[in-house]
Amino acid sequence: HVENMLRRWEPRSSATRFIKSHLLPREPTNAHAMGTVMSSWMNRDNKQDTELDNHHKVLDVSINDDGVAILTMCDDLYQNTMTVEMTSSIRSAIPVLQQNEARVIVLCSSLSHFHVGLNPNVARKWKDRSPFDIATDMKESYMGFVELASLGIPLIGVLNGKVYGGGLPIALWCDYRICSMDVDVHFGNLSRGMSPAGQLSRLLREYLSPQDIMETYLENSHWDADDLMRLRLVSQVAPTKEEALSEAKRLASFIGGHAAQAVRDTLHLVKISYAAQVADEEAWLIAKKISEGIETFRSTSHEAYSSGLQKISISSNSPAHRLHQLPGAGEMPVGIMAMEVYTPAYAISGGTLESHDIPAKKKHGQDAVAVWDWQQEDSISMALNAVSLLLERHVDDPYLIGRLEVGTESNVDMAKSIKSHLMDLFPKDHYNVEGVDNTNACYGGTAALLNTLAWCKVTPGRYGIVVATDTADMDLMDSAWRGASAVAILVGSGKPWIEIHPERMSCFKNTHDFLKPRYSDQLSPVMKTKASVEYYLHGLDYTLEKLKEEHRVDAVEEFDAFVFHGGACVTFMKLVERHLLHRWKAPTGWKANFEMARQAASQTGGLYTASMYVNLLSLLSSPNNSREDVKHIGLFSYGSGSSATLLHATIHHDRAHRIELPMILEARELVSFDTLSRVVVGIEKEEE
């Protein structure tokens, strides 16, 4: 069309120069953008003739003496959709804002939703029009918001309810966004048969990668307040629309009290500018779809795609009970996304051990302890099994794993890490996986967890795996303390199942209560039992005291449950429980949780680095566990020598997955004492 016009007007050089300078974009573009440019130019004189419905109010404008302007979209007839009436009202308001020297603008809605984009009924009425006219009206329907955002005045958006389709670019044109907990942001173009408008294709790239944008589009995703916080699309979340608006007004007053010109200059330098070429192309593509009868707005369902697979969650949590400030860099919620456990398929009962003069059940509280085939299994193979389960069940893309750390005190190689063996589970070309083994008695798994949590905080979008794996080899007469298991933990930022809060406390010192000499004649560790218990309780008391003193986190008052490292046997766990109940006056509710947390330990024995994590899984998988009663918990990890850390965690039960630990323990085969004896002899020979 443009080429034909130029050909006809070629003899008239002045007309040609006019078309090139005023009609055509100054930057290289394509035919899609040309259609909108042409139609806008042709219809420029007809804008004032557009029939407007002036019988109802669509925008309320108020400005106080401090220069804070409140623009309230109140189109109860067309329900805050894209209309020429709204554009006209905004354009009428702009001179008022300028004349009254508005310093900050708050954009909000009086309806139960913020803005829901193009009205489907309008799109259906447009289908018999030319694409030129549709493109003009499409672009015109949101230009009022673009012009408002281009004033150089800070624009604060208050998002509530539905923010659908074209409502999303309106929200993104705001410089600061606060939402209420009922917000539902929906890209929605897939179900509507539409493509982006209002420069949305450019605006979204300020927050998401092209891959993430396409995932959102193809899955027809909805974002709630938690997702918006994680994506940094909003800066605050309030329980209600009214509280969100109140906070927006407070922020506006704060901004208005500072130098206006400096704010304007900063906006000019930082804010993404209106890109006419992008907006023109978007409008033309929509116009073509509507005019050509391509399916648009035919679906009445806007449900998101629901995967049949459990995938890594990349959302975050934002508490619903209070106004939530956006975490600063590195403060996005992090924690445990998933856990899988492997334990040997064999066990020996406490009664069998008792019958051979090994005090297992009565003295140490063990109903059974794990037994493993020493010729087939060790801490490496158990780690391989646990990580394999984790990858299979919870990780869609192994290339997202960027860290893998192991905690162990029973590696079979004095030089090569268990982590090295685990790399065989990843694609052959995936080398960029940091981390090695951590060794310090039973504490290595938690050391690996702390390292990986810190890594995930500064590496959003990627995930780490922590493995706690050990075989507690014992001399035959110490078999009440033997055990073996491996726990693989998927760690990430966003929306963790078990959120690990930054408030924690540690206690480290040099003690000599638990040793494994390299050339020892015995399988069992050299342990000073009384001293080891004293060091454990000192670390527990110190971390509880300091957590309250330095972080104002009172475990007794705030925690619903307390999970701790179980040492070598259930009797030790009961000793720690009594200490917490009597020394710290722990609430009686903890007592029932103690019993659930030690259920698995009574069946597996001493687990070294895996102990606390198996105890946690035992608590969460117990059929007697009430989700409502166990949300905020303490996690106390200990390793002789000595090292201790008390973590503060929140369980998000709605993000949980199936825990198979009870079924695994139930399915084990009980072996005879003779079998256990052969296992111990075999291990002793192997050690020699």
Short mmCIF file of all heavy atoms in Angstrom, two decimals, residues 8 133 147 150 160 183 200 232 280 288 299 351 369 450 460 512-513 543 553 581 594 600 603 657 667:
data_model
loop_
_atom_site.label_atom_id
_atom_site.label_comp_id
_atom_site.label_asym_id
_atom_site.label_seq_id
_atom_site.Cartn_x
_atom_site.Cartn_y
_atom_site.Cartn_z
N ARG A 8 2.50 6.71 -6.92
CA ARG A 8 1.56 7.70 -7.44
C ARG A 8 2.04 9.12 -7.16
O ARG A 8 1.82 10.03 -7.94
CB ARG A 8 0.18 7.50 -6.81
CG ARG A 8 -0.54 6.24 -7.30
CD ARG A 8 -2.03 6.33 -7.00
NE ARG A 8 -2.32 6.54 -5.58
CZ ARG A 8 -2.47 5.55 -4.72
NH1 ARG A 8 -2.34 4.30 -5.13
NH2 ARG A 8 -2.74 5.81 -3.47
N ASP A 133 -8.68 -0.08 10.15
CA ASP A 133 -9.51 0.56 11.18
C ASP A 133 -9.37 -0.15 12.52
O ASP A 133 -9.33 0.49 13.57
CB ASP A 133 -10.98 0.56 10.74
CG ASP A 133 -11.22 1.45 9.54
OD1 ASP A 133 -10.42 2.39 9.35
OD2 ASP A 133 -12.19 1.21 8.79
N GLU A 147 0.39 7.33 27.27
CA GLU A 147 0.64 8.77 27.42
C GLU A 147 0.70 9.15 28.89
O GLU A 147 1.50 10.01 29.30
CB GLU A 147 -0.46 9.55 26.70
CG GLU A 147 -0.39 9.40 25.18
CD GLU A 147 -1.64 9.88 24.47
OE1 GLU A 147 -2.47 10.57 25.12
OE2 GLU A 147 -1.81 9.56 23.28
N SER A 150 4.01 8.21 30.19
CA SER A 150 5.11 8.96 29.57
C SER A 150 5.20 10.40 30.05
O SER A 150 5.98 11.18 29.51
CB SER A 150 4.93 8.94 28.04
OG SER A 150 4.88 7.62 27.55
N ASN A 160 -5.55 -5.42 41.86
CA ASN A 160 -6.46 -6.27 42.64
C ASN A 160 -7.26 -7.15 41.70
O ASN A 160 -7.49 -6.81 40.54
CB ASN A 160 -7.41 -5.42 43.48
CG ASN A 160 -8.42 -4.68 42.62
OD1 ASN A 160 -8.07 -3.71 41.94
ND2 ASN A 160 -9.66 -5.10 42.64
N VAL A 183 -5.15 -11.05 43.90
CA VAL A 183 -4.77 -10.74 42.52
C VAL A 183 -4.61 -12.02 41.69
O VAL A 183 -4.17 -13.06 42.19
CB VAL A 183 -3.47 -9.91 42.50
CG1 VAL A 183 -2.26 -10.78 42.85
CG2 VAL A 183 -3.26 -9.24 41.15
N LEU A 200 3.45 -5.11 25.30
CA LEU A 200 3.66 -6.17 26.28
C LEU A 200 4.84 -7.06 25.91
O LEU A 200 5.59 -7.52 26.78
CB LEU A 200 2.39 -7.02 26.41
CG LEU A 200 2.45 -8.19 27.40
CD1 LEU A 200 2.75 -7.69 28.80
CD2 LEU A 200 1.15 -8.98 27.38
N ARG A 232 9.23 -10.40 40.77
CA ARG A 232 9.51 -8.99 41.02
C ARG A 232 8.63 -8.09 40.17
O ARG A 232 9.01 -6.98 39.82
CB ARG A 232 11.00 -8.69 40.79
CG ARG A 232 11.91 -9.67 41.49
CD ARG A 232 13.33 -9.19 41.59
NE ARG A 232 13.47 -8.20 42.64
CZ ARG A 232 14.63 -7.86 43.19
NH1 ARG A 232 15.71 -8.44 42.78
NH2 ARG A 232 14.71 -6.96 44.12
N ASP A 280 2.99 -0.69 17.13
CA ASP A 280 2.32 -0.73 15.83
C ASP A 280 2.23 -2.15 15.30
O ASP A 280 1.20 -2.58 14.77
CB ASP A 280 3.08 0.15 14.83
CG ASP A 280 2.92 1.64 15.12
OD1 ASP A 280 1.93 1.99 15.78
OD2 ASP A 280 3.78 2.42 14.69
N LYS A 288 -5.25 -8.10 12.07
CA LYS A 288 -5.32 -9.10 11.01
C LYS A 288 -6.08 -10.35 11.48
O LYS A 288 -6.90 -10.90 10.74
CB LYS A 288 -3.90 -9.49 10.57
CG LYS A 288 -3.17 -8.38 9.82
CD LYS A 288 -3.68 -8.26 8.39
CE LYS A 288 -3.18 -9.40 7.52
NZ LYS A 288 -3.64 -9.27 6.12
N SER A 299 -12.86 -19.19 23.29
CA SER A 299 -12.84 -20.02 24.49
C SER A 299 -13.34 -19.23 25.68
O SER A 299 -12.98 -18.07 25.87
CB SER A 299 -11.42 -20.51 24.76
OG SER A 299 -11.35 -21.20 26.00
N GLY A 351 14.54 -57.41 68.82
CA GLY A 351 14.36 -58.64 69.59
C GLY A 351 15.41 -59.68 69.26
O GLY A 351 15.91 -60.39 70.15
N VAL A 369 17.31 -52.28 63.26
CA VAL A 369 18.37 -51.45 62.68
C VAL A 369 18.62 -51.95 61.26
O VAL A 369 18.37 -53.11 60.94
CB VAL A 369 19.68 -51.49 63.51
CG1 VAL A 369 19.47 -50.86 64.87
CG2 VAL A 369 20.21 -52.91 63.63
N LEU A 450 23.76 -25.69 53.90
CA LEU A 450 23.99 -24.25 54.06
C LEU A 450 24.73 -23.67 52.85
O LEU A 450 24.40 -22.58 52.38
CB LEU A 450 24.79 -23.98 55.34
CG LEU A 450 24.10 -24.34 56.66
CD1 LEU A 450 25.00 -24.03 57.84
CD2 LEU A 450 22.77 -23.62 56.80
N PRO A 460 19.32 -17.42 41.03
CA PRO A 460 17.90 -17.71 40.80
C PRO A 460 17.68 -18.43 39.48
O PRO A 460 18.37 -18.19 38.50
CB PRO A 460 17.26 -16.31 40.79
CG PRO A 460 18.37 -15.38 40.44
CD PRO A 460 19.60 -15.97 41.05
N HIS A 512 36.95 -33.69 71.63
CA HIS A 512 37.57 -34.99 71.29
C HIS A 512 36.70 -36.14 71.82
O HIS A 512 37.21 -37.08 72.43
CB HIS A 512 38.98 -35.07 71.89
CG HIS A 512 39.86 -33.95 71.45
ND1 HIS A 512 40.55 -33.97 70.26
CD2 HIS A 512 40.15 -32.76 72.04
CE1 HIS A 512 41.23 -32.84 70.12
NE2 HIS A 512 41.00 -32.08 71.19
N ASP A 513 35.42 -36.06 71.54
CA ASP A 513 34.48 -37.03 72.10
C ASP A 513 34.11 -38.15 71.14
O ASP A 513 33.53 -39.16 71.54
CB ASP A 513 33.20 -36.30 72.53
CG ASP A 513 32.58 -35.51 71.39
OD1 ASP A 513 33.30 -34.69 70.79
OD2 ASP A 513 31.39 -35.69 71.11
N THR A 543 22.56 -22.50 70.92
CA THR A 543 21.89 -22.02 69.71
C THR A 543 20.46 -21.55 70.01
O THR A 543 19.99 -20.58 69.41
CB THR A 543 21.87 -23.12 68.63
OG1 THR A 543 21.30 -24.32 69.17
CG2 THR A 543 23.27 -23.41 68.13
N VAL A 553 13.97 -14.81 67.71
CA VAL A 553 13.16 -15.98 67.37
C VAL A 553 13.15 -16.88 68.60
O VAL A 553 14.16 -17.51 68.95
CB VAL A 553 13.74 -16.74 66.16
CG1 VAL A 553 12.91 -18.00 65.89
CG2 VAL A 553 13.75 -15.85 64.93
N LEU A 581 11.90 -30.50 77.12
CA LEU A 581 10.64 -30.35 77.85
C LEU A 581 10.85 -29.77 79.24
O LEU A 581 10.05 -28.95 79.72
CB LEU A 581 9.93 -31.70 77.94
CG LEU A 581 9.36 -32.25 76.62
CD1 LEU A 581 8.94 -33.70 76.78
CD2 LEU A 581 8.19 -31.40 76.14
N PHE A 594 7.60 -35.26 68.75
CA PHE A 594 8.82 -36.01 69.02
C PHE A 594 8.63 -37.49 68.67
O PHE A 594 9.48 -38.11 68.03
CB PHE A 594 9.20 -35.90 70.50
CG PHE A 594 9.78 -34.58 70.91
CD1 PHE A 594 9.63 -34.11 72.20
CD2 PHE A 594 10.48 -33.80 70.00
CE1 PHE A 594 10.17 -32.89 72.59
CE2 PHE A 594 11.04 -32.58 70.38
CZ PHE A 594 10.87 -32.13 71.68
N ALA A 600 10.87 -43.40 62.44
CA ALA A 600 11.77 -44.03 61.46
C ALA A 600 13.09 -44.41 62.10
O ALA A 600 13.66 -45.47 61.80
CB ALA A 600 11.99 -43.11 60.27
N GLN A 603 13.48 -47.70 63.58
CA GLN A 603 13.52 -48.81 62.63
C GLN A 603 14.84 -48.88 61.85
O GLN A 603 15.13 -49.91 61.23
CB GLN A 603 12.38 -48.66 61.61
CG GLN A 603 11.00 -48.68 62.21
CD GLN A 603 10.61 -50.06 62.69
OE1 GLN A 603 11.01 -51.07 62.12
NE2 GLN A 603 9.82 -50.12 63.75
N HIS A 657 5.08 -33.32 48.58
CA HIS A 657 4.94 -34.45 47.69
C HIS A 657 4.83 -35.73 48.53
O HIS A 657 5.02 -35.71 49.75
CB HIS A 657 6.13 -34.54 46.72
CG HIS A 657 7.46 -34.74 47.40
ND1 HIS A 657 7.88 -35.96 47.88
CD2 HIS A 657 8.46 -33.87 47.69
CE1 HIS A 657 9.07 -35.85 48.42
NE2 HIS A 657 9.46 -34.58 48.32
N ALA A 667 8.50 -52.59 53.84
CA ALA A 667 8.81 -53.61 52.83
C ALA A 667 10.14 -54.32 53.07
O ALA A 667 10.49 -55.25 52.33
CB ALA A 667 8.80 -52.97 51.44
#
